[in-house]
Amino acid sequence: MAGKIIFNKNSLKLHRQRAATKLEQYNFLLKYSVASLQEKLQEVKYQHEHILDIGSRDQQFFRFLEQQADTLTIIDIAEANLQLSKMAKKFTLDEDLSVLPTNKFNLITSD
């Protein structure tokens, strides 16, 4: 097996917290995918009222989303990743999205 698969939520949270401190060293794929998504979203001439971002971990992408939405909500299991956005509503959540309101978000992003 090439890598360790983490099923334990506490282990996943610790892993994401630890990774958040070294993200700039290893984020080349993240930056590439964020740039691609950002380019596609710029082509859509639509102002989204409410955007939900699930665990993207990219400060530049958060700034872009903040310009595209009236309200940006970001969720991540690691609190360190939530600190990358200054304007967004922030929630520490895992994969259980049932606590979020239904039919509220015009756009949901995850990277």
Side-chain angles (χ1 to χ4, degrees):
M1 179 183 255
K4 183 177 179 182
I5 299 174
I6 301 175
F7 291 101
N8 182 294
K9 289 183 182 183
N10 287 332
S11 295
L12 177 60
K13 183 176 182 177
L14 291 172
H15 172 76
R16 298 235 345 153
Q17 285 284 106
R18 191 172 47 253
T21 63
K22 298 179 180 181
L23 184 61
E24 285 299 315
Q25 297 173 14
Y26 306 103
N27 66 350
F28 57 93
L29 287 176
L30 176 64
K31 291 239 182 250
Y32 177 80
S33 62
V34 162
S36 177
L37 182 57
Q38 194 171 344
E39 181 180 324
K40 289 173 177 62
L41 288 173
Q42 284 176 330
E43 293 177 8
V44 177
K45 303 298 182 206
Y46 180 80
Q47 179 69 21
H48 303 282
E49 283 184 57
H50 305 286
I51 296 177
L52 171 65
D53 181 79
I54 303 171
S56 285
R57 309 176 312 269
D58 186 84
Q59 192 169 20
Q60 181 179 353
F61 188 56
F62 290 144
R63 283 195 297 266
F64 171 76
L65 290 178
E66 288 167 349
Q67 295 169 359
Q68 302 296 313
D70 296 334
T71 305
L72 172 62
T73 302
I74 58 174
I75 62 172
D76 200 297
I77 196 167
E79 292 178 26
N81 291 328
L82 297 175
Q83 304 310 315
L84 297 172
S85 174
K86 293 181 176 29
M87 298 175 59
K89 295 179 181 179
K90 304 166 193 170
F91 298 97
T92 304
L93 293 175
D94 56 13
E95 302 84 23
D96 180 19
L97 304 179
S98 64
V99 297
L100 296 172
T102 56
N103 299 322
K104 177 176 180 167
F105 299 103
N106 306 96
L107 177 66
I108 298 175
T109 60
S110 179
D111 194 8

